[in-house]
Amino acid sequence: MPITTEKELSENSRALWLKAMHAVELRNYGYAISLIQNILKEAPGFLEARKRLRKVEILATRGKKSFLSGFSTASMKGAGMVKKDPIAAMELAEKNLEADPTNVQINHLLKEAAKAANLPEIAAFALETIIEANPTDTKTMHELGEYYLTMGKADDAVTIYSKIAEINPGDLTAVKRSKDAAATASMKKGGWDTAQSYRDLMKNKDEAVSLEQKSRVVKSVEMIDEQLAELTPQWEVAQDNVDLTRRIAKLWEDRLEQRNDEESFNGTHYYYHHANELVGGSDPAVARKLSNLQLQGLDMRVKSIEDWLAGGGEEHEEAEAYRQELQDLQAQKAGLLVSEAKKRVEKNPTDLQLRFELGEQLVKARQYTEAIQELQRAKQNPNARLKAMNLLGQCYTEKNMLDLAVKQFQEAASEMLAMDVTKKEILYKLGLVFEKMGKKDESLKCMKDIYEVDYGYLDVAQRVEQSYAS
């Protein structure tokens, strides 16, 4: 059974999913859990829903004592259902995880049921849940590592076996499997895993070398120029050939990555512009290339002005005019990014990820009022929710709506279990807002929370230690 994506949900399930996300936003966790469980009955392979469900359950049960800890009759009952009806066993597991989301036995039940239902990704997720709550459980880590390998996730296997080795340097099995997984990952990236024999790898060596030179990402400028010299005469007699135009445009783009000079930039822009005209603007990839080139041209001009000013131009009589041009270019770039983001939203108005990207660009352009509306909608997207709340807090701060900023930052921080980079950023911003509001104790608490796990984060150590000195 394949994993289900949000786009593959039925209309009814998609409506329930949006309601569930809204319920989470309102902290109506019980209602959100009920909605997501109903979705999973129709779409048991919707892994994203299970991940969101587990986060909500952890938030809902925080500080509450579970009656399922340890031995569970549910796990015994479910064990008998796994072979006969694995989907029903998964439902039973989810129902019991509602009260104790990190319960080891019930998560193992979910794992076994998912495995029987041919949903290895969900089985791996059950093991990940156990490990997140028990970060030194090397036995479960070994099991997860084996799952990653059978799923073809060699890179993830390297990560999990490396963690085991950090916890127990004497675990030679983990050390060996980490090396084996790393080798597997390298072979897969190099295409060695698909070769049937040594002869397959060496077949038609001259052709392979030629193809490698034409297709590999990293090319020398000399190699690129040789290919341009070979293809350009062909293009001059067949300028309506779209594929040939694209190939030449890509070569100029590769040259631009190597040299980043005006000649390469102009060549790249010319051929991509020509390709865009040939397809009547119907190829979004080519249109995106042109947009990126416009941005790159602005960046090149900005850098040249900054270098000139830094190299003594500040004392030149025209320095003020260049500083003004620099500001204009930066505003032009911000406007262009906003414009492109708006176009993508107009084409896909229901795509909440695109809504987030538009909100993000509006924040960078300091258009905070416009950004708020987009970010509020983007919060419904589980993948962008925390980032959207972070930016919303920033918008409210810039508009001096400090109480609303506090609410956003606090809500975002409360939904994050680990003190990762994002949570530290949110807590730091929350502390600054409290400081603006004159709430020194609350501000200091935010800084102390960061200090306890990361002494070197920005100026947190200075702020905390000065509070004790005073």
Side-chain angles (χ1 to χ4, degrees), residues 221 224-225 228-229 232 248-249 251-271 293 296 300:
V221 174
I224 293 170
D225 287 343
L228 285 172
T232 303
I248 294 176
L251 285 169
W252 277 108
E253 184 182 6
D254 292 340
R255 194 180 196 277
L256 179 60
E257 290 179 1
Q258 295 276 344
R259 286 281 175 89
N260 196 31
D261 57 12
E262 187 175 352
E263 178 187 6
S264 301
F265 177 84
N266 290 338
T268 307
H269 186 273
Y270 176 83
Y271 284 100
L293 283 169
Q296 190 170 352
M300 289 173 66

Side-chain angles (χ1 to χ4, degrees), residues 51-300:
K51 290 183 176 181
R52 173 55 58 172
L53 177 61
R54 204 69 73 245
K55 289 181 180 180
V56 174
E57 289 168 342
I58 290 172
L59 290 171
T61 58
R62 183 178 292 169
K64 297 179 182 178
K65 186 176 180 180
S66 171
F67 296 101
L68 290 177
S69 298
F71 185 76
S72 172
T73 56
S75 62
M76 292 184 61
K77 180 181 178 182
M81 299 169 60
V82 167
K83 290 185 178 180
K84 296 179 180 178
D85 192 347
I87 299 300
M90 291 172 69
E91 288 183 20
L92 177 65
E94 288 293 0
K95 190 63 182 173
N96 283 273
L97 287 170
E98 180 179 345
D100 190 5
T102 59
N103 182 279
V104 175
Q105 287 186 345
I106 302 298
N107 272 291
H108 273 295
L109 169 60
L110 177 62
K111 174 204 70 178
E112 293 298 333
K115 182 180 176 182
N118 196 26
L119 288 166
E121 296 89 349
I122 293 176
F125 167 61
L127 294 174
E128 290 166 353
T129 302
I130 296 172
I131 293 168
E132 187 173 348
N134 306 276
T136 58
D137 184 355
T138 55
K139 181 180 178 181
T140 304
M141 288 182 181
H142 268 289
E143 187 175 1
L144 179 59
E146 291 177 10
Y147 261 91
Y148 283 151
L149 288 174
T150 58
M151 293 163 62
K153 294 186 173 183
D155 289 333
D156 289 334
V158 171
T159 300
I160 200 71
Y161 284 126
S162 298
K163 286 182 180 178
I164 297 171
E166 288 176 10
I167 296 169
N168 180 14
D171 191 332
L172 300 182
T173 300
V175 173
K176 181 179 183 305
R177 288 182 177 175
S178 177
K179 292 179 180 178
D180 291 345
T184 300
S186 297
M187 289 174 65
K188 189 173 183 180
K189 290 174 183 176
W192 290 75
D193 58 331
T194 58
Q196 299 298 314
S197 66
Y198 176 76
R199 187 179 299 275
D200 288 341
L201 293 171
M202 298 302 294
K203 185 179 179 182
N204 203 346
K205 182 179 177 182
D206 293 338
E207 181 181 351
V209 170
S210 176
L211 288 173
E212 180 188 9
Q213 289 181 341
K214 291 179 180 179
S215 64
R216 68 183 182 182
V217 175
V218 180
K219 305 182 181 77
S220 68
V221 174
E222 291 75 15
M223 187 187 302
I224 293 170
D225 287 343
E226 287 178 7
Q227 292 180 44
L228 285 172
E230 176 186 340
L231 294 177
T232 303
Q234 299 176 29
W235 178 84
E236 287 176 350
V237 296
Q239 296 185 17
D240 59 347
N241 187 319
V242 177
D243 289 337
L244 182 58
T245 304
R246 282 177 173 157
R247 286 175 61 188
I248 294 176
K250 182 63 173 65
L251 285 169
W252 277 108
E253 184 182 6
D254 292 340
R255 194 180 196 277
L256 179 60
E257 290 179 1
Q258 295 276 344
R259 286 281 175 89
N260 196 31
D261 57 12
E262 187 175 352
E263 178 187 6
S264 301
F265 177 84
N266 290 338
T268 307
H269 186 273
Y270 176 83
Y271 284 100
Y272 272 124
H273 180 73
H274 187 73
N276 191 54
E277 289 187 333
L278 289 176
V279 299
S282 62
D283 188 335
V286 174
R288 178 65 67 88
K289 292 284 188 184
L290 285 172
S291 175
N292 290 340
L293 283 169
Q294 190 173 357
L295 289 171
Q296 190 170 352
L298 291 173
D299 287 338
M300 289 173 66

